[in-house]
Amino acid sequence: MADLMPGLVVAAHGRHCLVESLDGERRICHPRGKKSAVVVGDQVQWQITGDEGSIERVEERRNLFYRQDEMRTKSFAANLDQVLVLVAADPEFSERQLARALIAAQAERIDVLIVLNKSDLQPAFDRAWARLAPYRRMGCAVLPLRLKSADGTEDGLDALQERLTGKRTLVLGPSGVGKSTLVNRLVPEARAQTGEISRALNSGKHTTTSTTWYWVDEARRTALIDSPGFQEFGLNHIEPMQLAHLMPDLNATLGECRFYNCTHLHEPGCAVVAHVREGEAPLSISENRYRIYGELFEELSNKRRY
Ligand SMILES: Nc1nc2c(ncn2[C@@H]2O[C@H](COP(=O)(O)OP(=O)(O)OP(=O)(O)O)[C@@H](O)[C@H]2O)c(=O)[nH]1
Ligand SMILES: [Mg+2]
Ligand SMILES: [Zn+2]
């Protein structure tokens, strides 16, 4: 048997994936056995089998960022330092999906960064920026960005790059917000497929269909992981009673409710409910965030019954 070699999974497509060796070479590999699903960011031990390779072992993961609905579990990537949730002035973002992505990251103790792109589009940008106020207030970093504009200017890249350096960042967000544009801007040889390319080439949108790892620097310390846009972000893997702990604004008031097992939905003496109000007051919980909590609690409670 050939020697096992360490590698990094840089792309995964069902039954085969792309593994990068320490010298930077990438080759197609197949996971050994049916169950050993690998995801982008996995550290693996692999061996050469002809032109290709076979993955013999997946090292223990530091974390795994994934979503789960009734139908299936979708893993985005493993061993991350942070998740960059990219939203844009246009298309208008769903706060529900944003909140869910943040909860999934928090559940795996992965840092998050929200970036609002397309600051050239006004007044949509200012409106979207205002909608993000509750996220800034709860301590989340929120950065403005402009990757493209009619007059060819960009803005906000330096501040963003500072937060990416030396880290492995998953770029996550709905379709059309500029995830691939960002990767292409910071990794010139990436040629991640963007809406732009396709429009020039043919039909319509060129949407990203698989998660791919890109190194930003030659020293391979900074990585960006491009991912396909998502519409629904299922959290079936989260227990309803865990939810409030995973939402920093709700979590800040926990322990003050009258009942230790308060669901924060209808109990008297609930500290969460007492903090629900609009405005900048410290510890305030926005009405939207509270509504999202209630809907999610309901959804996750119901799924347990069958
Ligand atoms: N006006 C404006 N358009 C932008 C900006 N950044 C990116 N775009 C455009 O937004 C469109 C979508 O960009 P993509 O990078 O393909 O978006 P994506 O998030 O990768 O989309 P999916 O792969 O479908 O998930 C492209 O036409 C970009 O040129 C910006 O700052 N302002
Ligand atoms: Mg894309
Ligand atoms: Zn309560």
Side-chain angles (χ1 to χ4, degrees), residues 76 170-173 179-180 208-212 225-230:
F76 287 95
L170 171 69
V171 184
L172 184 82
K179 298 182 295 298
S180 297
T208 306
T209 54
S210 70
T211 303
T212 309
I225 303 157
D226 194 9
S227 71
F230 66 86

